[in-house]
């Protein structure tokens, strides 16, 4: 059984930064990709960013230039560095992992961590 555990959420003022971490544990044979979704109240879940095992990354247009995703294949961890945060970034952020060749597919999902951007 695979478990994803997120950390690093919290309250930050607009323009500030937060760093989200996700560690995978359990029976892991190597993920094709890991990444982050987010969901704000009353809105659909949105893909924020992902990184493949080969190091390829992709970002939602709304976060390009502000967020950076990095990963450690050996440790099965992924980091989301969020800079220049805006109130519209407020959401629950979920770490996910993909087993197969679709890097947006959430075969495994963490419990989520709240990010609130407010003055």
């Amino acid at each position: 059984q695979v478990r994803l555990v997120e950390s690093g959420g919290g309250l930050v003022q607009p323009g500030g930064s937060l760093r989200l971490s996700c560690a995978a544990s359990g029976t892991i044979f190597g993920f094709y990709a890991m990444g982050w979704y987010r969901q704000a109240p009353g809105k659909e879940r949105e893909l924020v960013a992902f990184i493949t095992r080969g190091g390829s990354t992709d970002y939602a247009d709304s976060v390009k230039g502000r967020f950076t995703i990095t990963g450690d294949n050996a440790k099965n961890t992924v980091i989301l560095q969020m800079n220049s945060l805006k109130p519209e970034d407020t959401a629950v952020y979920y770490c996910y992992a993909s087993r197969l060749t679709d890097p947006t597919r959430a075969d495994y999902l963490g419990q989520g961590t709240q990010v609130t951007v407010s003055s």
Side-chain angles (χ1 to χ4, degrees), residues 1-74:
Q1 184 176 356
V2 174
R3 184 170 176 238
L4 302 177
V5 179
E6 304 105 331
S7 60
L11 173 64
V12 64
Q13 292 187 343
S17 298
L18 280 176
R19 183 173 180 265
L20 303 184
S21 300
C22 175
S25 62
T27 304
I28 301 168
F29 295 101
F31 302 126
Y32 175 72
M34 293 183 73
W36 297 87
Y37 277 94
R38 68 184 180 186
Q39 188 163 21
K43 294 187 177 181
E44 293 187 356
R45 189 174 68 174
E46 175 188 22
L47 179 63
V48 178
F50 67 78
I51 183 166
T52 68
R53 195 163 188 84
S56 298
T57 60
D58 200 9
Y59 299 88
D61 288 342
S62 58
V63 307
K64 282 181 181 176
R66 300 187 297 120
F67 291 11
T68 302
I69 189 168
T70 56
D72 185 328
N73 290 336

Side-chain angles (χ1 to χ4, degrees), residues 65-116:
R66 300 187 297 120
F67 291 11
T68 302
I69 189 168
T70 56
D72 185 328
N73 290 336
K75 297 181 179 180
N76 285 298
T77 60
V78 64
I79 303 293
L80 185 68
Q81 179 65 43
M82 306 185 295
N83 299 328
S84 302
L85 283 161
K86 304 175 181 180
E88 50 264 43
D89 294 317
T90 296
V92 178
Y93 284 69
Y94 297 90
C95 174
Y96 77 92
S98 305
R99 293 185 296 113
L100 303 177
T101 56
D102 179 357
T104 68
R105 174 176 162 147
D107 292 304
Y108 305 101
L109 198 66
Q111 81 285 355
T113 185
Q114 177 71 46
V115 170
T116 302

